[in-house]
Amino acid sequence: LVGGSLNSGTVTIPHDGLPYVVTSTITVNSGVTTTITLTLQPGVTLKFAATTGLAVGIAGTSWPGVLLAQGTAAAPITFTTSSATPTPGAWNGLNFSSGPTAATLCDYCVIEYGGGDSNDANLRLAASTPTITHSTIRFSDGRGITTISSAPLLEDNAITDNASYGLYLGSGSSSDRPIVQGNTFSAN
């Protein structure tokens, strides 16, 4: 799956039983003022090459983007490395920056082996308000989740085995107040 910018309407990635290998960064909305949505069906696995990731929105803009990744307990959505020998930091991770709306949802997802760039986290939230529930966030070479001026709902997640903090509340987090409840943190 070649990445690139999604700049119109809604794009759905179906579950067809095989993993998708992402060879360049996918950016959900890199230049329009209308909302762009990327929907992943339950059971989808995205395997990212080194130095790639998934970016929703662009820092410092008002380009709204939405990621709808609603898996199930039996068919989670997986974001991982394409490396045959997975190691923490093998890909960049998920980056929600400025544009993601409150409609962004990661439910029953596995986010692992990310943090390979300067974001240093599996999941980086900057000026965004996504909902992250029932998910596993593990094996980052840095933080599991980083928030900067964000107010996400983080509920009922397992945040484990990250090299640094499981959850890092960065600048602006005192005023934006993330909601963090029912999560399990271990071996971070």
Side-chain angles (χ1 to χ4, degrees):
L1 181 64
V2 176
S5 297
L6 307 178
N7 287 323
S8 63
T10 298
V11 175
T12 299
I13 297 178
H15 173 55
D16 62 6
L18 297 172
Y20 293 90
V21 177
V22 180
T23 59
S24 60
T25 295
I26 298 170
T27 302
V28 181
N29 200 349
S30 65
V32 297
T33 57
T34 57
T35 301
I36 307 303
T37 302
L38 173 61
T39 301
L40 305 177
Q41 291 184 337
V44 164
T45 295
L46 296 180
K47 292 185 168 190
F48 292 85
T51 72
T52 69
L54 175 61
V56 181
I58 302 291
T61 69
S62 58
W63 300 331
V66 173
L67 172 65
L68 293 178
Q70 188 161 17
T72 67
I77 294 168
T78 302
F79 303 89
T80 191
T81 177
S82 63
S83 172
T85 54
T87 57
W91 65 290
N92 292 353
L94 306 183
N95 186 6
F96 299 159
S97 187
S98 295
T101 69
T104 291
L105 172 67
C106 291
D107 187 35
Y108 290 102
C109 292
V110 176
I111 307 167
E112 61 185 7
Y113 298 110
D117 65 351
S118 61
N119 292 331
D120 200 29
N122 270 325
L123 179 56
R124 180 181 182 269
L125 312 173
S128 59
T129 56
T131 296
I132 313 296
T133 53
H134 308 108
S135 294
T136 300
I137 297 138
R138 62 186 178 198
F139 306 130
S140 169
D141 76 336
R143 302 166 183 148
I145 302 171
T146 293
T147 71
I148 302 166
S149 299
S150 294
L153 170 61
L154 305 171
E155 185 173 41
D156 297 326
N157 299 296
I159 303 168
T160 66
D161 298 296
N162 299 290
S164 181
Y165 301 103
L167 172 62
Y168 178 80
L169 303 177
S171 63
S173 294
S174 63
S175 61
D176 289 305
R177 308 273 185 213
I179 298 171
V180 180
Q181 55 194 21
N183 298 288
T184 302
F185 295 87
S186 66
N188 294 294

